[in-house]
Amino acid sequence: MSVQLSYKEGVLTAKLTGEIDHHSAREMREAIDDTAQKLKPYCLRLDFMEVPFMDSSGVGLILGRVRLCNFWRGRVVLCGLSPNLNKMVELAGISSVAAIERRAG
Amino acid sequence: MMKPVNQAQISFPSYSVNEGFGRAAVAAFLAQLDPTVADLADMRTAVSEAVTNAIVHGYRDKKGTVYISAKIFEDGKAVVRVRDKGCGIPDVKQAMEPLFTTGGEERAGLGFAVMQSFCDSVRVTSTVGRGTSVTLTKHFEPKE
Ligand SMILES: Nc1ncnc2c1ncn2[C@@H]1O[C@H](COP(=O)(O)OP(=O)(O)OP(=O)(O)O)[C@@H](O)[C@H]1O
Ligand SMILES: [Mg+2]
């Protein structure tokens, strides 16, 4: 499964695995939204540690989840971004709508 | 115009599952330029944008074939062309503006901006009803 979800104390963490493109983003989106809409977490944490590739479809995936969480005033946090993914996130100016946790090390 | 030292063509039906194949095939071909990991990753991303656009926008109403040609030149230049015979773009200048999208909620409208920032040049020709051709050019400095 390309998304592994875990919930603890208001924080929903979605661990994403594999390349994110238009093809794979749909399944990830559906899995995340299904659970997020039920739990309405105050924080949705998207973990990109196991994502080796992402194109602008990944940006759409992130921005769409920010919009969704806005409905209940939840926020989105991104973590585990590789330098490649970080380049994409910076180009898209995502840091103005989601918090970015730097990769350790 | 210099002659390419090597070239490759691939084509595949516009199924979204082929997006990964398209960018991986081009990256595998360009590996013979001995590019840095970062340069190759940039080109892979740009190709992914162009292929996805052909599938999502070009062939939004009907399935069709996506054509890719890749050429490499002696000086380390790579030219990748992604073509579709889909609906075409009525206003290319507007389409290339960052954040412009006809793709709805889940699209960021950043594909062309990514291609432009990750390649040296992006050329788009398009005819409504006939299709779109996107040419990506990037120089690869050999690794140290
Ligand atoms: N091959 C194509 N055929 C027809 N229209 C296209 C094609 N490529 C791009 N377009 C048009 O240009 C617009 C902008 O493309 P761009 O890739 O920049 O953004 P997007 O695809 O809408 O969103 P994103 O790439 O961020 O997911 C598209 O929304 C579409 O209207
Ligand atoms: Mg696009």
Side-chain angles (χ1 to χ4, degrees):
Chain A
M1 192 54 194
S2 56
V3 186
Q4 226 180 302
L5 294 158
S6 56
Y7 182 72
K8 199 180 167 191
E9 291 162 6
V11 181
L12 178 63
T13 299
K15 191 169 168 35
L16 309 173
T17 303
E19 304 199 332
I20 303 182
D21 59 14
H22 155 257
H23 180 73
S24 66
R26 188 226 285 227
E27 184 186 318
M28 294 182 176
R29 176 181 78 231
E30 287 170 356
I32 295 167
D33 288 7
D34 207 47
T35 303
Q37 273 162 338
K38 280 178 207 144
L39 299 175
K40 300 193 169 42
Y42 86 87
C43 172
L44 171 64
R45 221 162 151 265
L46 301 175
D47 182 344
F48 291 88
M49 206 62 175
E50 302 297 330
V51 176
F53 172 89
M54 175 177 111
D55 65 17
S56 68
S57 303
V59 173
L61 180 73
I62 296 167
L63 296 179
R65 305 309 52 79
V66 170
R67 261 197 304 274
L68 179 71
C69 291
N70 273 342
F71 282 120
W72 54 84
R73 298 179 163 276
R75 63 195 186 97
V76 173
V77 175
L78 315 180
C79 64
L81 295 163
S82 68
N84 275 339
L85 267 61
N86 208 41
K87 200 169 161 181
M88 181 66 65
V89 162
E90 264 176 31
L91 184 99
I94 283 175
S95 59
S96 62
V97 291
I100 297 166
E101 269 174 34
R102 295 283 148 219
R103 225 177 191 176
Chain B
M1 186 71 190
M2 253 196 310
K3 263 177 63 182
V5 290
N6 199 359
Q7 55 183 308
Q9 276 91 33
I10 48 171
S11 61
F12 47 81
S14 59
Y15 308 142
S16 64
V17 69
N18 286 331
E19 290 159 5
F21 167 69
R23 61 177 179 261
V26 172
F29 180 72
L30 298 183
Q32 62 194 282
L33 284 169
D34 198 23
T36 64
V37 174
D39 277 348
L40 194 60
D42 284 356
M43 192 49 139
R44 180 194 290 258
T45 307
V47 170
S48 187
E49 299 295 348
V51 169
T52 303
N53 279 353
I55 291 174
V56 173
H57 305 299
Y59 294 121
R60 70 182 131 219
D61 300 323
K62 56 173 202 306
K63 289 291 164 211
T65 305
V66 179
Y67 304 85
I68 305 180
S69 84
K71 291 180 181 165
I72 58 181
F73 295 85
E74 206 158 0
D75 60 353
K77 186 173 79 175
V79 178
V80 178
R81 194 171 64 150
V82 179
R83 251 182 340 121
D84 66 69
K85 294 182 178 172
C87 63
I89 306 175
D91 184 342
V92 171
K93 192 163 168 274
Q94 178 190 45
M96 292 181 81
E97 275 166 22
L99 306 185
F100 177 85
T101 182
T102 58
E105 283 278 280
E106 287 294 318
R107 312 237 62 84
L110 283 174
F112 280 124
V114 167
M115 291 183 241
Q116 282 173 320
S117 111
F118 287 23
C119 294
D120 297 340
S121 85
V122 181
R123 224 187 59 229
V124 181
T125 56
S126 189
T127 309
V128 172
R130 296 284 298 279
T132 301
S133 166
V134 175
T135 306
L136 307 166
T137 305
K138 189 175 175 68
H139 249 99
F140 290 91
E141 299 297 336
K143 271 201 302 260
E144 285 302 295

